[in-house]
Amino acid sequence: MRIETPVFFDPHVHLREGIKMFGAIAQTSLFCGRVCAMLNLEKPLDEAGIRGYLWETGRHLASLERKMTVMPVPMLGDETTPEQIAAWATCGAVSAKYMPSGATTNSHHGVTNPESLAESGVLEKMSDLGLVLQVHCEMPPGPDGSTIDWALGAEQEFIETFCNLAASYPRLKMVFEHISTREALKAIEPFANVAATITPHHLTMTTDDVLDLTYKWIANPHNWCRPIAKSEEDRQALIETACSNNPRIFFGSDYAPHSAQDKRRTPPPAGCASYPAGPYVLARLAIERDLGAQWLANFTSRRAMDFFGISSNQQETLILSDRETLTVMGSRASGAVEDDDVEPWLKGEAFDFAWRRFSLQTIG
């Protein structure tokens, strides 16, 4: 077996910051030629901060002797201005992130009032510049109540907010990120300006893989993500949608590594360290369903690049072969101290094939 496909374009990764950045880049650059890096960091970055962040990613890539274009995705807030949007575009941003304040990791400086984005002219400016609005589609939790109960219904509660924005700004391209429910899949169908990303972990897991039998506790913190994996019916709907020829449905990993020490906290931080396993899950799906190289190429790169308006300049390729195998092993975020160890999603899972990245000149 031999399948060749372009290197991935992943429009949703978290490359972290500081000593944790190196490990995140080491994992993603094995497969990706281009990524959109979410900047939901401890503190918001201004234009100079974004340029410094990109310089740091370039330094790590150079030390690894790998090529990967990192496009920043700054976070919107209630005080964001159209002038900031224009400045972000000069830093290489092709999108910005709508993250409801309090919905997930480092979202405390996110959007508390969606009307503020309309009143400020931010969304009109994004429409004018052709920037994509990437949306974390979960309603933030209230001050009381269970984290689990909130997580199970948070996406469904946000659908109306998302659809109202899509209807109000038909020129604005929007992405319903890490879509996880049948209700959301159905709701976005009428909107020509809307796409959705699907993660490998939502194609693989259900709520039973995350919570205990009572649905009150997080039994497997390494499977805990937001949005939480939903029912088997939802998973099957995601698989059918991902395997379709819909040009507005594509891969986005939501790669979100946390140290093993942090994952042992109660409650643990949300996020799956879905590299390297994610690309293997997609390859297995393609093999089992006989989808072929064309589907893999479309789902993992071409559809998203078309939607984001990015031209291809492919110089490297991925080749999948059954001449090698892979077992997902432990990895480190920094290699500095044990507490920075990251336990990857699906650790210990074996695949009877392996991906390898090559220069087109090498195989030409």
Side-chain angles (χ1 to χ4, degrees):
M1 177 192 69
R2 185 181 187 275
I3 298 175
E4 184 175 338
T5 188
V7 287
F8 290 6
F9 167 38
D10 190 340
H12 188 163
V13 301
H14 298 267
L15 296 181
R16 303 309 189 201
E17 56 189 322
I19 62 172
K20 295 182 178 181
M21 182 188 284
F22 177 80
I25 289 177
Q27 290 292 341
T28 53
S29 62
L30 285 171
F31 304 92
C32 297
R34 188 183 300 267
V35 298
C36 290
M38 305 294 130
L39 299 185
N40 58 318
L41 307 174
E42 285 291 337
K43 296 180 180 179
L45 298 181
D46 58 14
E47 184 181 350
I50 293 172
R51 294 187 186 280
Y53 187 90
L54 294 178
W55 180 87
E56 192 71 9
T57 64
R59 184 174 69 86
H60 289 310
L61 285 164
S63 70
L64 291 164
E65 297 184 340
R66 294 180 190 164
K67 296 178 180 179
M68 183 174 75
T69 300
V70 178
M71 298 182 297
V73 186
M75 278 185 61
L76 299 174
D78 293 338
E79 305 301 320
T80 303
T81 66
E83 290 74 22
Q84 285 177 293
I85 298 296
W88 292 344
T90 67
C91 296
V94 297
S95 60
K97 184 68 172 276
Y98 178 151
M99 186 174 283
S101 180
T104 190
T105 304
N106 289 342
S107 61
H108 46 280
H109 47 272
V111 177
T112 62
N113 177 18
E115 293 183 2
S116 67
L117 301 178
E119 294 168 355
S120 66
V122 162
L123 299 182
E124 283 290 349
K125 187 66 172 180
M126 289 185 64
S127 301
D128 293 341
L129 294 176
L131 268 64
V132 176
L133 180 65
Q134 298 185 246
V135 187
H136 181 106
C137 296
E138 287 190 295
M139 193 66 73
D144 303 314
S146 162
T147 297
I148 302 301
D149 290 341
W150 157 75
L152 289 171
E155 179 174 289
Q156 296 91 320
E157 289 188 25
F158 196 84
I159 289 173
E160 182 178 359
T161 299
F162 182 91
C163 290
N164 286 341
L165 282 173
S168 300
Y169 294 90
R171 293 190 303 123
L172 177 63
K173 292 191 287 187
M174 298 173 57
V175 178
F176 195 118
E177 295 196 308
H178 39 53
I179 198 165
S180 67
T181 60
R182 290 164 291 167
E183 295 93 333
L185 287 170
K186 184 176 180 179
I188 65 173
E189 285 180 359
F191 299 101
N193 59 323
V194 169
T197 58
I198 300 179
T199 74
H201 48 277
H202 286 107
L203 290 172
T204 306
M205 303 188 302
T206 69
T207 314
D208 292 343
D209 297 302
V210 185
L211 304 180
D212 72 333
L213 294 176
T214 68
Y215 278 22
K216 297 298 182 185
W217 302 98
I218 299 170
N220 189 331
H222 300 290
N223 289 348
W224 167 243
C225 59
R226 294 180 184 169
I228 189 173
K230 303 301 195 303
S231 70
E232 177 62 18
E233 292 77 13
D234 288 312
R235 189 180 79 88
Q236 289 299 327
L238 292 173
I239 290 173
E240 294 305 319
T241 303
C243 294
S244 73
N245 293 319
N246 189 332
R248 293 184 287 116
I249 300 293
F250 41 80
F251 161 72
S253 71
D254 190 17
Y255 173 66
H258 294 278
S259 71
Q261 182 184 49
D262 285 344
K263 277 291 192 177
R264 289 192 290 268
R265 298 199 323 247
T266 303
C272 291
S274 51
Y275 282 99
Y280 283 82
V281 166
L282 297 180
R284 183 167 60 192
L285 180 64
I287 294 167
E288 290 175 349
R289 296 219 167 194
D290 196 24
L291 297 170
Q294 187 70 24
W295 175 82
L296 269 172
N298 289 339
F299 187 69
T300 62
S301 62
R302 290 173 183 158
R303 294 179 189 172
M305 292 184 74
D306 287 345
F307 189 81
F308 279 74
I310 299 169
S311 58
S312 175
N313 183 24
Q314 184 187 354
Q315 298 179 347
E316 295 184 295
T317 191
L318 291 171
I319 294 178
L320 185 73
S321 171
D322 58 3
R323 293 184 178 181
E324 298 179 83
T325 62
L326 176 113
T327 298
V328 179
M329 306 296 288
S331 61
R332 288 194 166 187
S334 68
V337 293
E338 184 176 353
D339 286 345
D340 288 323
D341 284 357
V342 172
E343 182 171 319
W345 178 61
L346 298 186
K347 179 182 177 181
E349 183 124 351
F351 297 88
D352 55 3
F353 48 79
W355 285 108
R356 289 289 180 266
R357 181 170 176 166
F358 295 94
S359 165
L360 289 175
Q361 295 178 341
T362 301
I363 64 175

